[in-house]
Amino acid sequence: MLDVILFILSIGSSRITSTLHRTNLRFSLLLGMSKDANELMPVVNETTNVIERFEKRSTIRLHNLPHRATYIFIRRPSDGRFYVQLRSAIKDYCPGFLDPTPGGCVGEKESYALNAERELEEEMGIDSKMAELTRLFTFHYKDQRTNCWGEVFECEFECEDPNKQLNIQESEVSEVFMMNEAELEAVSAQVTPDGMHALRLYKMFKQKPKTILFDLDDCLYFDEWKIADILTNNIEKWCTQEKNMKPGHAYALYKEYGTALRGMQETGLINSEDELEEYLKIVHIIPDLKTKLKPNDRLRNQLLRIDPKISKYIFTASVAAHAVRCLECLGIRDLFDDAHIIDTKSCKYATKHSQIAFDSAMKICGVYDPTSILFFDDSVRNIDQANATGIRGVLVGLTQRDNRSLKKICSTADRKIDLITDMEVNFPELFLN
């Protein structure tokens, strides 16, 4: 391994050369002279991964347009090490970087699977008869240099010296190293950023969580915030009528303290337990809820097929009674008994995006290793707090409620999905069969 470390250090010492190369690369992209510049590729919707049009590869790279790509983890069965490429100097993305995920951009008439097979054979000289590819999951990644929906595959292949025994594509790959996860993490600055991200997701994929926490409103269901708007109006009405607040002050409390309730507690507007109970009861009354929320068979089927060894909880900022009514309407009440509903009372009325709330939730679940928990929520602030606690957070819903045309920005989420029923595609490891 010493030769690998020395080689990595030599890469680090040549960053000036790499900077000059990136400058030249941009000129090449502008002139359409980069490698495979004229290859047509699908441009996809950044939110949904639906193909919108086709553009030249150089155009996609130059403007960082969302596209599709494959990521293949090749492991050596004898020691579990990955086949890690040193990308050639003429690559149009991260030339000279290490890449633990051979693969490539999906072309105009290709599926993910066909692209993975082709790239594996072209780059590494491993065809479908030599190693069987298994699809794992899909993810979105974006930084200043790339913007793609990646599909991850894996395979096993035994080889003592890949540089001598495999037919490596020299125009794409300068050399191949055998490295484990710890070695890659140690030199992560020299690894392609999307490849490093895929490696961390792969590691999580291989470690099933012990517990899943599901947020309720706007997460287990999405009705374009209609119920959320009713709840907001109920809070505003109660605060103006019962506490003589000026219109909009309840919302100001929410913005400052996380919830209007917490704001009233902190400012002394609610002191008695009886008044607190009355407030929570009244603001969570949703007229004709059964006409607004319908049974979701797809959600029910997915929840039923989650590995029974993984415990499932509702973790909501509302009250248990509201959660029960919503679960009944969705047709999944029987999947969450009272002991598996964590509400604001369970968390001592603390704001959900607080350490107190997450500590309370973990205590109720009986899980004290935060890394063994997977948390689905539509709130960026809640995901941020989960991340600070050490819990893996998944952002559900990609559009802002306050400005419904803006996409959510959440750098702390492990992954982002549009609807909760997208979890089967993105987290197949959670499910039986």
Side-chain angles (χ1 to χ4, degrees):
M1 191 58 205
L2 180 60
D3 57 333
V4 175
I5 299 298
L6 291 173
F7 188 84
I8 301 306
L9 292 174
S10 72
I11 295 175
S13 66
S14 63
R15 278 306 174 212
I16 295 176
T17 303
S18 297
T19 301
L20 291 172
H21 182 89
R22 284 197 294 272
T23 303
N24 293 332
L25 176 59
R26 184 164 181 82
F27 280 117
S28 297
L29 290 171
L30 283 166
L31 296 173
M33 297 172 60
S34 59
K35 190 176 186 301
D36 300 323
N38 294 318
E39 176 188 0
L40 283 179
M41 292 165 44
V43 175
V44 300
N45 184 288
E46 189 173 318
T47 302
T48 64
N49 194 20
V50 173
I51 295 175
E52 295 183 338
R53 65 185 189 278
F54 296 91
E55 295 282 359
K56 291 181 179 180
R57 183 188 184 105
S58 59
T59 302
I60 288 174
R61 286 300 190 199
L62 183 63
H63 300 289
N64 204 17
L65 300 176
H67 58 283
R68 292 175 174 176
T70 54
Y71 295 75
I72 308 167
F73 287 101
I74 314 170
R75 302 196 77 155
R76 186 162 63 186
S78 59
D79 58 10
R81 289 179 178 271
F82 297 104
Y83 290 71
V84 179
Q85 297 178 344
L86 175 65
R87 295 169 68 84
S88 73
I90 62 170
K91 297 288 287 184
D92 63 6
Y93 171 68
C94 290
F97 276 65
L98 294 169
D99 189 354
T101 54
C105 297
V106 176
E108 180 185 14
K109 297 180 181 180
E110 280 188 315
S111 65
Y112 278 115
L114 285 175
N115 175 270
E117 286 188 6
R118 177 177 64 80
E119 294 284 358
L120 185 62
E121 185 170 0
E122 287 181 1
E123 292 184 6
M124 301 295 291
I126 301 174
D127 62 32
S128 57
K129 295 178 181 178
M130 300 164 69
E132 182 179 354
L133 280 171
T134 301
R135 180 202 170 276
L136 301 182
F137 58 86
T138 305
F139 70 98
H140 178 250
Y141 179 83
K142 182 180 181 180
D143 62 19
Q144 293 180 340
R145 285 182 286 187
T146 192
N147 182 0
C148 76
W149 276 90
E151 190 142 292
V152 177
F153 297 80
E154 73 171 346
C155 68
E156 291 187 342
F157 185 77
E158 189 64 41
C159 179
E160 185 175 344
D161 187 344
N163 295 295
K164 293 181 179 179
Q165 295 174 257
L166 292 178
N167 184 24
I168 305 298
Q169 187 178 18
E170 294 181 1
S171 62
E172 300 274 343
V173 184
S174 296
E175 195 169 351
V176 176
F177 300 104
M178 303 304 300
M179 302 176 70
N180 60 30
E181 292 175 14
E183 290 162 349
L184 284 163
E185 287 283 358
V187 294
S188 59
Q190 312 297 337
V191 181
T192 54
D194 58 331
M196 205 67 223
H197 182 70
L199 176 64
R200 289 162 182 161
L201 293 179
Y202 175 82
K203 184 177 179 180
M204 294 172 188
F205 178 89
K206 292 296 183 179
Q207 297 174 344
K208 281 189 179 183
K210 293 182 179 178
T211 299
I212 302 175
L213 299 177
F214 291 104
D215 177 46
L216 178 68
D217 297 304
D218 302 317
C219 179
L220 273 189
Y221 68 86
F222 180 65
D223 65 344
E224 298 183 343
W225 304 284
K226 293 173 184 175
I227 290 174
D229 288 343
I230 293 172
L231 291 170
T232 300
N233 290 334
N234 286 350
I235 293 169
E236 173 73 8
K237 183 178 179 181
W238 191 91
C239 289
T240 54
Q241 291 182 354
E242 300 297 327
K243 293 298 175 181
N244 298 316
M245 291 184 192
K246 293 179 180 180
H249 186 63
Y251 186 71
L253 289 174
Y254 156 73
K255 282 293 188 181
E256 183 174 355
Y257 294 97
T259 64
L261 171 61
R262 196 63 180 173
M264 287 188 285
Q265 288 178 306
E266 292 291 335
T267 56
L269 290 171
I270 285 185
N271 295 306
S272 73
E273 191 72 22
D274 289 343
E275 191 174 33
L276 192 152
E277 290 285 346
E278 178 196 15
Y279 166 82
L280 289 172
K281 179 180 179 181
I282 291 174
V283 301
H284 286 99
I285 294 175
I286 309 294
D288 303 316
L289 182 61
K290 289 184 179 180
T291 66
K292 297 176 174 65
L293 275 186
K294 300 294 184 181
N296 188 334
D297 292 337
R298 184 181 177 192
L299 174 61
R300 179 178 177 81
N301 289 336
Q302 288 193 18
L303 291 172
L304 283 170
R305 290 192 297 103
I306 289 176
D307 189 334
K309 295 178 183 177
I310 304 174
S311 58
K312 302 181 294 293
Y313 288 81
I314 301 297
F315 182 25
T316 176
S318 67
V319 290
H322 171 71
V324 167
R325 290 191 291 268
C326 290
L327 294 173
E328 287 174 346
C329 291
L330 291 169
I332 56 174
R333 168 63 173 125
D334 58 313
L335 305 184
F336 298 93
D337 60 27
D338 291 349
H340 286 75
I341 298 176
I342 304 168
D343 72 346
T344 185
K345 295 181 183 179
S346 309
C347 300
K348 306 170 186 175
Y349 304 107
T351 302
K352 189 172 177 181
H353 54 269
S354 68
Q355 192 62 52
I356 294 173
F358 277 87
D359 286 344
S360 299
M362 290 174 64
K363 184 176 181 180
I364 291 169
C365 295
V367 177
Y368 297 96
D369 176 10
T371 62
S372 67
I373 298 175
L374 189 62
F375 173 54
F376 291 87
D377 201 293
D378 66 291
S379 165
V380 172
R381 287 197 292 183
N382 293 343
I383 295 294
D384 287 344
Q385 183 58 52
N387 179 265
T389 306
I391 292 173
R392 297 167 53 193
V394 180
L395 186 68
V396 181
L398 305 176
T399 308
Q400 298 277 14
R401 179 187 173 194
D402 290 348
N403 186 328
R404 302 186 183 192
S405 65
L406 292 179
K407 294 171 184 172
K408 294 178 182 176
I409 299 174
C410 184
S411 60
T412 58
D414 276 354
R415 258 177 271 179
K416 305 169 189 177
I417 60 177
D418 193 26
L419 297 170
I420 192 64
T421 47
D422 294 336
M423 63 179 169
E424 184 172 20
V425 172
N426 288 275
F427 299 91
E429 71 273 19
L430 303 178
F431 297 86
L432 297 177
N433 303 321

